[in-house]
Amino acid sequence: MANDRLRTAMLAAGLTVDDMAAEVGVDPKTAERWISRERVPHRPTRNKVTKLLGVNEGDLWPSLATGPRPAPTESELVYLYPSRSAITGATWEELIHGVRQQMDVLVFSGAFLVEQYNLVPIIRAKAAEGVRFRLLVGDETSPAVIQRAIDEGTPGGLEGRVQMMRRYLSDVTDLEGVEVRTHGTILYNSIYRFDDRLLVNGHAHGALAGQSPVMLLKRMPNGQIWQHYMKSFERVWDEAKPEV
């Protein structure tokens, strides 16, 4: 098992394994083992790592935390970002390029995935390798999308972004393993699934999605949080209209 908490904290801080190793004074191979083999460094080194990354020790190594902890639920939460904008480009690229089996997306627009991270050609390449994609985007004529644009203070703007995303994705709707559907549900959360990792971007009234917090979850046996949000995705998927 890899230490995804440490890996994600590094990405959030914009650091590579070599960078972190140099900052705390260890060999890069040693630092890599903290991630790939879940090795726990000695206390003085742990203190340097947590200070460097700006997190608590228990966030990176839950086994060291004191007090009662509901392990199955607690371990699902890998990282909490203060906003979607706080997620580094390196993190998005690692998640997108790392998909090997399935990527699911529930958004109204999500055009940033195409415009910033070149998602369309990635879909083409990965679909050819057998990766499955399920992409849920908004129906720009639906009351939910129109109201969301008003709530964000950008009436008409969101609808245009939704239309743009639908146009982008029209280039891959004919690919085997790629399904695109439109929905008009109230979007309480945007959801981005990358195999066993899940980003959940909560929405707040009057705030843009990029300004709202994001949870990074890791799928665990009997994990309640993962199941909760993926059940929501499935409900919207079942009600959505396939793009042709």
Side-chain angles (χ1 to χ4, degrees), residues 99-140:
V99 172
R100 295 292 179 267
Q101 296 177 324
Q102 183 162 334
M103 179 173 172
D104 296 332
V105 174
L106 168 59
V107 291
F108 272 158
S109 170
F112 75 95
L113 293 171
V114 176
E115 297 169 347
Q116 297 181 39
Y117 302 108
N118 208 25
L119 183 62
V120 169
I122 294 173
I123 290 175
R124 287 188 177 279
K126 288 189 173 291
E129 298 171 355
V131 177
R132 184 186 181 195
F133 291 86
R134 295 189 300 172
L135 307 168
L136 276 165
V137 297
D139 173 356
E140 69 276 6

Side-chain angles (χ1 to χ4, degrees), residues 182-201:
T182 57
H183 70 97
T185 60
I186 297 174
L187 194 63
Y188 298 103
N189 303 276
S190 295
I191 294 175
Y192 310 86
R193 175 189 176 182
F194 310 90
D195 291 336
D196 288 336
R197 290 184 284 179
L198 190 71
L199 289 175
V200 180
N201 184 185

Side-chain angles (χ1 to χ4, degrees), residues 34-103:
W34 299 341
I35 300 172
S36 61
R37 301 183 185 179
E38 287 195 297
R39 298 284 177 82
V40 179
H42 296 298
R43 182 183 296 275
T45 305
R46 293 201 304 268
N47 291 340
K48 292 179 182 178
V49 172
T50 55
K51 183 178 180 181
L52 175 66
L53 301 180
V55 297
N56 296 320
E57 184 176 86
D59 294 332
L60 302 180
W61 301 284
S63 62
L64 301 177
T66 58
R69 299 171 67 89
T73 300
E74 184 80 16
S75 61
E76 287 182 84
L77 180 61
V78 175
Y79 202 82
L80 178 62
Y81 296 93
S83 67
R84 196 188 74 196
S85 300
I87 305 176
T88 65
T91 299
W92 281 109
E93 290 175 357
E94 192 267 339
L95 289 169
I96 294 170
H97 287 278
V99 172
R100 295 292 179 267
Q101 296 177 324
Q102 183 162 334
M103 179 173 172

Side-chain angles (χ1 to χ4, degrees), residues 6 10 16-41 45:
L6 178 55
M10 287 169 45
T16 66
V17 171
D18 289 346
D19 294 334
M20 181 174 66
E23 290 287 343
V24 302
V26 300
D27 186 271
K29 291 183 179 179
T30 299
E32 176 60 37
R33 285 194 286 270
W34 299 341
I35 300 172
S36 61
R37 301 183 185 179
E38 287 195 297
R39 298 284 177 82
V40 179
T45 305

